């Protein structure tokens, strides 16, 4: 996921100290792990994957970083599973429903 919501998500996670940013490196904190576990994200599978759990990725449209890595994908999968958004066929565009965007903002404290 990229764009304004994705950049805001990473800012919120760092601001609430759920993720720590050290330069380009991101780390999930213990409280961040508990938070994502409560959302139903399986951290054990993320920790055993070859993909890094947390990674920053420069969003070309915003010129700021968003969350990537296993956790970024898990958040996107959670967003799809909740029915908040869908991928536009044949593109990489993530399209939120009006109520889905509101729910996403509330779930990740972006309001």
């Amino acid at each position: 996921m990229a764009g304004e919501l994705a950049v805001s998500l990473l800012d919120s996670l760092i601001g609430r100290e759920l993720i720590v940013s050290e330069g380009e490196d991101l780390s999930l904190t213990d409280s961040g792990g508990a938070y994502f576990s409560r959302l139903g994200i399986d951290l054990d599978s993320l920790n055993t994957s070859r993909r890094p759990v947390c990674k920053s990725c420069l969003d070309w449209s915003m010129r700021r970083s968003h969350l990537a890595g296993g956790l970024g994908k898990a958040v996107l999968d959670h967003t799809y599973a909740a029915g908040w958004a869908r991928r536009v066929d044949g593109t990489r565009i993530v399209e939120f429903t009006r109520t889905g965007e509101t729910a996403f903002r509330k779930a990740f404290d972006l309001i």
Side-chain angles (χ1 to χ4, degrees):
M1 181 184 327
E4 179 184 345
L5 281 177
V7 169
S8 295
L9 170 65
L10 181 56
D11 288 345
S12 174
L13 296 172
I14 291 170
R16 293 184 294 147
E17 298 181 351
L18 301 176
I19 290 179
V20 174
S21 174
E22 296 175 18
E24 294 296 311
D25 296 329
L26 299 178
S27 301
L28 187 63
T29 65
D30 290 342
S31 59
Y35 172 81
F36 284 106
S37 290
R38 284 192 302 274
L39 285 177
I41 293 176
D42 181 7
L43 295 176
D44 289 335
S45 67
L46 296 182
N47 288 323
T48 59
S49 172
R50 293 186 334 197
R51 175 184 281 179
V53 173
C54 293
K55 181 179 175 184
S56 66
C57 180
L58 181 64
D59 183 287
W60 64 268
S61 64
M62 299 292 295
R63 305 307 303 159
R64 296 187 42 229
S65 292
H66 63 88
L67 180 62
L71 185 57
K73 182 179 182 321
V75 168
L76 181 60
D77 290 345
H78 178 78
T79 300
Y80 290 149
W84 298 339
R86 67 175 186 85
R87 175 170 275 162
V88 176
D89 290 337
T91 73
R92 297 182 66 184
I93 296 171
V94 176
E95 183 177 72
F96 279 82
T97 66
R98 183 174 299 155
T99 57
E101 182 176 340
T102 300
F104 182 89
R105 287 179 179 279
K106 183 176 180 182
F108 294 106
D109 202 24
L110 305 181
I111 297 176

